[in-house]
Amino acid sequence: MKIGVVGAGLMGGEIALVFALGGFEVLLNDRDEVVLQRGIDRLATLLDKGVARGMYAAEAKDEALARITPATDIALLSGCDLVSEAVFEALEVKQEVLKTLDAVCQPDCILTSNTSTLPISTLSAALAPARRPRFIGAHFFSPVSRMALVEVIPSFDTALETSAPVVEILRRIGKSPIVVKDVAGFAVNRLLHAMLIEAVKLVEEGVATPEDLDTACRLGLGHPIGPFALMDAVSSGLCLQVQQILHDAYGERFRPPALLKQRVAGGFVGGAGRPGWTTASGR
């Protein structure tokens, strides 16, 4: 099989990487050549670190990179058997990409979306009726190279002949897929953001500091990372965006906290060296 990935950002790049490490030939597409090259360079750095930690042999690193072919022309994905859309988390952007893929990919190609919140059946509306049974959600978790879970989300139209092969392919690349009903936010993000919202409210109310709440979640709940360190890692801006989508879908229980909105507006979002919850400059 040949795999295509659209979007060479943090998620798309690592999705391409795990398929390549699993032995698949991968075309990584992004219309921005600079973003595409930066994505490939980042994968090389990730693999170098993995070799240093003994996670991969040097030969495996070289073989994985050799299996990833950069492509700025999305039409080159026409020969792929499965294509993962991993572009910006906005309905209009994703539907436009899916519409293009529907036009260029062969009829039996499976299309997947890495959306973390948008209902798959809503995204499916951008596809021709004949394509919809071959479309499914496959939500990877960040960092994709280390997180085993993938939520597999069939839409109203997804055929069983699509779901089963996708689950099998994900297992072949070392992932642990779970099948989830097609609702906004699916399962994990609804659980996660209920916790993140409450964590920010605890800070708003002066109950505890972000540092102490991170410690409480790590040592009291057994979480590998606390909620504020996690928000810094994925960026508070993305968290706010997801919570706004969940609020639109489910109402008051997912209303983003005022403090989170204020910090995002002020640029205290974390990630890429920017101030966040867990850095002194973020206070």
Side-chain angles (χ1 to χ4, degrees), residues 157-202:
D157 296 316
T158 303
L160 183 60
E161 293 78 10
T162 298
S163 300
V166 168
V167 167
E168 181 56 32
I169 290 167
L170 291 169
R171 287 177 177 152
R172 282 177 58 187
I173 63 172
K175 298 302 180 185
S176 298
I178 61 170
V179 179
V180 177
K181 183 179 178 181
D182 184 24
V183 295
F186 314 130
V188 175
N189 264 329
R190 285 175 61 178
L191 287 169
L192 172 62
H193 284 277
M195 181 187 73
L196 296 182
I197 288 169
E198 190 62 27
V200 175
K201 287 181 177 178
L202 286 168

Side-chain angles (χ1 to χ4, degrees), residues 77-151:
L77 275 61
S78 60
C80 291
D81 302 290
L82 182 148
V83 177
S84 173
E85 167 277 306
V87 299
F88 184 69
E89 188 76 357
L91 178 63
E92 298 79 8
V93 175
K94 288 184 177 291
Q95 285 191 324
E96 189 60 36
V97 169
L98 290 169
K99 194 178 297 184
T100 301
L101 288 172
D102 192 12
V104 303
C105 292
Q106 55 193 346
D108 60 348
C109 175
I110 295 174
L111 300 184
T112 73
S113 174
N114 184 54
T115 180
S116 60
T117 51
L118 299 169
I120 303 304
S121 297
T122 302
L123 292 172
S124 182
L127 302 172
R131 175 75 67 180
R132 293 174 190 174
R134 306 286 288 172
F135 177 58
I136 193 167
H139 172 216
F140 291 80
F141 287 77
S142 181
V144 178
S145 55
R146 292 166 52 195
M147 299 291 279
L149 184 67
V150 181
E151 288 180 307

Side-chain angles (χ1 to χ4, degrees), residues 3-21 26-30 35-43 46 65 67-71 77 82-89 94 97 112-115 138-145 173 175 238:
I3 306 296
V5 179
V6 181
L10 296 179
M11 294 298 291
E14 291 202 29
I15 291 171
L17 177 62
V18 295
F19 276 113
L21 287 167
V26 183
L27 275 170
L28 178 58
N29 165 259
D30 199 291
V35 171
L36 186 56
Q37 187 56 54
R38 188 185 302 139
I40 296 290
D41 292 343
R42 179 175 175 273
L43 298 184
L46 278 175
L65 287 177
R67 292 191 191 104
I68 301 174
T69 302
L77 275 61
L82 182 148
V83 177
S84 173
E85 167 277 306
V87 299
F88 184 69
E89 188 76 357
K94 288 184 177 291
V97 169
T112 73
S113 174
N114 184 54
T115 180
H139 172 216
F140 291 80
F141 287 77
S142 181
V144 178
S145 55
I173 63 172
K175 298 302 180 185
L238 177 59

